Amino acid sequence: MKFEKKIFLDIVYVILGAVLLGCGIAEIVDSFWSGMGGALIGIGAIRIFQFVKFRKNPEYREKIEIEANDERNKFISARAWAWAGYAFVVLSALGTIGFKIAGNEVLSQVCAYAVCLIMVFYWIAYLILRRKY
């Protein structure tokens, strides 16, 4: 199962997070990296907890396996990604216009570049999927 293969990575997250947090406390790195360390510790701990629960609770295991392998859930997930992509493009395009009107050239360009980048990713994915299917 995927959980068993990823448990090592989760342990690495906790260790790396502890190192970053320790370096932040010792003032070797700034607060961004110590905050990142705290987040890595939290993510790793939650994932390890989920792994232990997955191994010990057969009802939870069945629920997770159904969610991972159910066609309906895969379809819903794909549609959610599509909606999120559409919303991102529209909001970034509106941000490009809004920031330009507001006189903030840098944020306007960032939004415009984001729209261009997502459209390039979409085009590449479309070409790959068209060949695959």
Side-chain angles (χ1 to χ4, degrees):
M1 184 71 203
K2 290 181 182 179
F3 283 110
E4 294 171 354
K5 293 178 183 176
K6 293 184 179 180
I7 189 70
F8 176 75
L9 184 60
D10 298 330
I11 293 169
V12 170
Y13 283 163
V14 171
I15 293 169
L16 180 61
V19 169
L20 286 173
L21 189 61
C23 288
I25 291 171
E27 296 183 359
I28 296 171
V29 296
D30 63 16
S31 62
F32 171 83
W33 294 109
S34 61
M36 179 72 73
L40 286 173
I41 291 170
I43 290 168
I46 288 169
R47 300 279 300 169
I48 291 169
F49 173 76
Q50 287 175 334
F51 175 76
V52 170
K53 187 175 178 182
F54 181 83
R55 293 284 302 230
K56 291 187 177 188
N57 187 342
E59 293 170 2
Y60 179 73
R61 177 186 299 212
E62 182 179 352
K63 176 186 168 194
I64 295 299
E65 287 177 350
I66 288 172
E67 285 180 8
N69 299 318
D70 184 42
E71 290 296 322
R72 180 176 178 269
N73 282 336
K74 289 179 181 180
F75 173 77
I76 292 171
S77 176
R79 295 301 303 155
W81 271 109
W83 285 19
Y86 297 145
F88 177 81
V89 169
V90 169
L91 291 174
S92 293
L94 291 173
T96 300
I97 296 166
F99 287 126
K100 183 71 169 179
I101 292 170
N104 194 332
E105 297 291 326
V106 174
L107 289 178
S108 178
Q109 283 184 337
V110 168
C111 287
Y113 291 150
V115 171
C116 290
L117 185 63
I118 197 77
M119 295 310 283
V120 168
F121 286 158
Y122 171 80
W123 180 65
I124 291 169
Y126 177 80
L127 293 176
I128 291 170
L129 291 172
R130 189 175 70 182
R131 285 186 179 204
K132 185 175 180 180
Y133 298 107

